[in-house]
Structures are given as structure tokens and as C-alpha cells.
Amino acid sequence: MIDVEEAARRIAAKGESRPRLARDPVNQAMVNNWVEALGDANPVYTDPEFAASSVHGGLVAPPAMAQVWSMNGLHGQRAADDPLGAMMSILDEAGYTSVVATNSEQTYHRYLRPGEHVSSSIRLEDVTGPKRTALGEGWFVTTRTTWRVGDEVVAEMVFRVLKFSPAARRETVPDAGAVLRPVISRDTEFFWEGTRKGELRIQRWGDVLRHPPGPLPPDGDLTAEPDYVVAEGTGAVYSYLVHHHPQVPGKKLPFVVALVELAEGVRVLGELVDTDPEDVHIGLPVEVTFLRVDDELTLPAWKVRA
Amino acid sequence: MTLAGRAAIAGIGATEFSKDSGRSELRLAAEAVSAALADAGLTPSDVDGLVTFTMDGNAEIAVARELGIPELTFFSRVHYGGGAAAATVQQAAMAVATGVADVVVAYRAFNERSGHRFGQVSSAAAQQVNTSGVDNGFHYPMGLATPAATVAMVAQRYLHTYGATSEDFGRVAVLDRKHAATNPRAWFHGKPITLEQHQASRWVAEPLHLLDCCQESDGGVALVITSAERARDLAQPPVVVAAAAQGSGPDQYIMTSYYRDDLAALPEMGVVARQLWRQSGLERSDVDVAVLYDHFTPYVLMQLEELGFCGRGEAKDLVASGALELDGSLPLNPHGGQLGEAYIHGMNGIAEGVRQVRGTAVNQVPGARHVLVTAGTGVPTSGLILTAA
């Protein structure tokens, strides 16, 4: 077991990383590209004459470019003593393999001028967790970056990321290539079209619902035309089994297959996911969920109704 | 006109039952047919009809070529897996009763353990482009993809409906294995099991333990059917087909008839049963031996109920009472069934029925005259009543 908090204390104790000089000094070419890309038409960044007459008395760089100057470039490497890099490695090892940025607060102490060469240093401020989030369990990692020209602090940034372990996403079938695909006929096509759209469609002949669907109503009326209802998707387990052996393509053993009686009165079969088999019983309230295999195929399935 | 008593089984033959036959399925079929003809005192040139399962891998013409059967006037196949077993005899009986053929051999041969194993997931069943493939589309992709799983769904509901337990299923396995233990031809000869062993065996598809599921086997069985009249002149005492019937029920599927009002029933076997009693003129109390298809133990209990040997939900009590023992009122599967002897898709059960009527079975029920034999359940099925001439 990796002690994340202990590692965080160790990294934080090292303090700020050594100042790392930006690849290039503040330069007009980069400013021109940046304001163009961002759509910032302020001439104080690009027009020497205008700038000379402004409060700045000459060209300045947009303050929000602070991080631009110290970026590592496409093939750049983090500094060896970069505490964010060190913390990310620890969390990767601890199984928190995914990352998402959550906050970035920048403070600008003054404008930078072309020709000034900034350095940046990073300090690990805080590591909080583990927290349960919608994305999965993870740690909030907060760092402070300080930009300097010489010894003068020109800008600062408090940056926070969530480093998390992705929650098991059951809506995507793990071994999609191996899933047994349904043979689909003209009579059953609408059902599978429905599952692709997240609808559990039940064939309707007048007042009579029929599942599995077919080309004729139960009374054999050749003149009848079917449509379908989109089931509310709730029902109760009518019967079920726990499959232990042998391996079934696209399924992880053991798994539960349930025959569910829908509120609409028909039975529909599907895997009952995200449930301990021990907790399943006849009468268990369930609701529909959809397991996406690929663009063509989505399987109806069940989960326990909250 | 009735089929009752018109035809007889005049010969039976089989290969050894194994887990690895070491030879082709066609070779197994030819050996079984050859043995059945020898048993009947006939030769290949006497045969003019062949019938088997649609699932069998050996074409009638291939079997005819190998054995030198010169001409066939009748060849037929019966569908729905093991549900075909008794129906092959029905087809043969109808052919001889109508004069379409004189001597028909019904056969089934496969390397079902060393070759294509039925217990595994069958992508072929899931992907067949026909109505059964479309049916399976509502089951296989969701993970319901093995025979055991399809039965487990019904078994669970049966337990719930009638308050039966896994031990009630287990008693069927224990009984079959007890009978197999004294049958030298059985794969599980000398290997009885206890109820504790049944309960301790691993789950396959809960509520089914491993020992609720029949074995997979390599082997072949063949039956020679001719008219009751001609059978009297042949080598063996004729075993008359007193009744032969097929049955399919309302809203029928293959192993997944899950959309009927009552899931804990086998109405297709009820269809068979009604015909068997009517055709034979016999009653349940006349049956001396029952050879019930036992690919999975729950369906043995449910067959006892469908056949009317007890009321709904009462089969567990019938089994527990000892009535199905060799010395009970309704001895069950004296050869050890498919759980104990071999899984030859029900055909070895018919051969056992013949031996019981002849009085030559290894676990002979004294004085057996009327034997009921059923075919695969959970599918459209079939059944026979065999009697002494």
C-alpha cells in the first residue's frame, strides 16, 4: 500500500522547485500568435506606436500569457524536482491513473515586457483525499507556481487537479469484439434500434403487448399493424440464475441473468449488473439500463432499483 | 388407424461410451447401426430407412454408403436437439406402419466430449440465420448462452413456486449415479455419489450444481424398427411400440420458453403424455419402469409432474419417498440415466427401455412389461411406451 498522505508530506517538505528559466524570453512573435488565437485586439500588445502613447509607455505582453512563457514545449520534460510530477507518479502507482484539472487561479503582479526572461518554480501546497467523486475515487492535488524575473515575483498560480481512479463504467462492455451478436429480423429491428437510443421498446398490437416481438399479433390477425411502446423500464425479477461456468464471451464471471416482469406486464431478459449475486431474489425491484457494445449494438440490462 | 402396436424395436446397438472415442462420428454411427442390425439378426441389405436428429453430423446417405445399405425409401430427420430421441422411433414406426419402409434404423452418434461440446457456449446457435437465431437474439447476447443456464432460469422459479430445494434436485443425481454404479457400460460405473457430494459440487449456473448437469460423452446408439409382425420372426423378442408421440407447447421456444404464464412447467411434455396414455390405452399405474431424460435434474422432477405421476410441486416428495428406487413403485433410469451412463442425446435411454422389456437389463426390474421413455426437455420433445409383445 502506498501512503499518499505521507508521500505528499515528503514532497511538500522539499519546498519550491529550483527556478527553471523559460525556453524563450518574452517575445513579440509569440504575443502576436497568442492574441490572434485568443481574439484579443488590444493594440497595446501589438502596436508599438499606440503602446508608446499608453500608460505602459511601450509594448507589453498580455498578463494571462504567464504560463505560456514557462511551458515545456511539445517534447518537453518536467524538471526532475517538479513536485507536481512527483505527486502524479505516486498517485499513478497508487492506482489513481486518470487526471482532470479542476481549478486554476492566477495572480498578475505586473505586466511583462518583450525581452524579459521569466523563470518558474512550483511548490506542492496541498493533497486532499481520498474523495468519492462522480468520476471515481481520487485526490485533489494543489500546487503553487511562482513566476519571477530575477528575484522579483511577477505572477503566481494556484493550480488544482483531481487525480482519480476511474469508476467501473459498466455501460461499455469490456470485450466487445467477443459479444454474441443477435440475429435481427425485420420483426425485431425496432427493438435493437430502441436499445441503441436508450429505449426499451415493446411491440404493441392494439392493446396487446408482445415480447419477444414477431410478425403477427397473438390472435394471428394478418391485417393488424404493430407499433411499439417505450417501456417505463421498471419491473421485478421473475426468475434469475447466477452463471459461474463456463466462460461467456463479453461477460465477467460470475454474473446474473434475470428474467424481469416489466410494469407493463411482459417479461424481458437481460444481465443484472452491478449487483452482488447474493442479494438477488425473485421479486427484487429493478430498472433497465443499457450496455453499449459498439455503434451497432446496445444490450438491454437491469440494475437494482434504488 | 392408430400407431399403437404397429411397430417394434427389433434390435439395439451401441458403441462404448467414452470421453474420447478416437474415431470419427461417422465411424461411431456405422458401428452402432451395424451392432443393432446384428442384434436383430438382420443385415445392411435389409435396411430401407434411416432416421436421425437434425443435430446429427452423419447424413443418412453417408451411413448407408459405409454399411453398404443399397437403397433407401425413407430418410428423415427430427429437430430440436435431444427432443428428437423418441421421435426418431415414432418416425420409423410411422414409416413401417404405412409401408413406406420395411426396416428403419434410428441412430445418433457423436464425439460430444472430445469434439463439439454441448456444455459450452454455442455461437453457432446464437448466430444461425433463421427464426431460432432471432429467438436466441433475446437471450444469448445477454449472457444466457449455455444449456445449464437456460435450465437454471426455470429451476429457480420452480424452487420458488414449490418450496423445493437444491437437495431435491440432488436426490435425482444420487439415484442415477447409484444405478450407474452397478452398470458396467456406464461411464460412472462403480462411482456412486452422496447428497453431500452433490451439495459440495461447484456451481455451474446457480441453482444448478455441477452434479445436476449430465456429463458430455462420445458414442453412438442405434435402434432397428420394423413391423411388429416381422419383428416376431427376428432374433430378439420384439419390443412393441405401444405409443410414440411428439409434443410442442404454447409459446414454445428452444430451451427458453420463458414467456408463458407458468415458467415452472413443461407443457410440451404434457402434450406428449396425453398422447401416450391415449394411444397405448395404458395408465400411469401400468408403467413398470420410467426412463426419463435427465440432462439436468430439475427437469426430471418436472417431467414426473407433467406425466402425472404426482401433482404439481410434489415430485420432490415422490423422489424422497424412495418410489423411484429399483424396488420402488416407479423405478427410474435403471441404467443410470445420462447423468450416470452416458449422454447420447436420449437414445441410450430407449435402448435401456428395450432391455428392460426384454428382461436383459443389468439392473433389471423384475417382470417389467411397460416402459415409459422420454426425450429431451425444455425443447419440443417426444416420448414412447414400449411393451412386451
Side-chain angles (χ1 to χ4, degrees), chain B residues 127-151:
Chain B
Q127 251 104 70
Q128 55 188 319
V129 182
N130 53 38
T131 57
S132 296
V134 173
D135 290 347
N136 289 342
F138 291 97
H139 308 103
Y140 275 68
M142 290 71 161
L144 187 95
T146 61
T150 61
V151 175

Side-chain angles (χ1 to χ4, degrees), chain A residues 6-88:
Chain A
E6 169 56 29
R9 272 193 294 277
R10 184 165 40 77
I11 293 166
K14 290 181 178 172
E16 203 170 53
S17 61
R18 284 191 301 116
R20 197 181 201 202
L21 210 54
R23 187 164 64 177
D24 300 303
V26 175
N27 63 83
Q28 194 59 47
M30 193 67 92
V31 171
N32 289 343
N33 288 330
W34 193 87
V35 298
E36 195 172 88
L38 272 287
D40 187 339
N42 190 338
V44 77
Y45 303 135
T46 52
D47 182 340
E49 272 181 43
F50 178 86
S53 67
S54 75
V55 67
H56 298 292
L59 285 167
V60 292
M65 284 184 78
Q67 202 177 0
V68 171
W69 306 119
S70 60
M71 282 203 164
N72 291 325
L74 186 58
H75 303 296
Q77 302 270 325
R78 288 178 184 278
D81 64 348
D82 180 336
L84 184 57
M87 198 65 226
M88 295 294 99

Side-chain angles (χ1 to χ4, degrees), chain A residues 107-174:
Chain A
T107 306
Y108 313 115
H109 295 292
R110 72 163 171 81
Y111 283 84
L112 292 172
R113 294 178 184 278
E116 288 189 300
H117 208 162
V118 301
S119 67
S120 64
S121 304
I122 305 171
R123 171 199 301 279
L124 182 62
E125 290 227 316
D126 187 44
V127 177
T128 310
K131 303 275 192 193
R132 298 204 67 82
T133 75
L135 291 169
E137 185 184 281
W139 297 76
F140 287 97
V141 178
T142 308
T143 55
R144 177 179 294 271
T145 301
T146 305
W147 288 278
R148 293 182 178 86
V149 174
D151 290 334
E152 183 197 3
V153 174
V154 295
E156 292 174 89
M157 172 173 71
V158 175
F159 184 61
R160 187 171 296 130
V161 299
L162 170 65
K163 188 77 172 139
F164 65 99
S165 172
R169 291 171 68 83
R170 286 306 305 258
E171 56 269 32
T172 302
V173 173

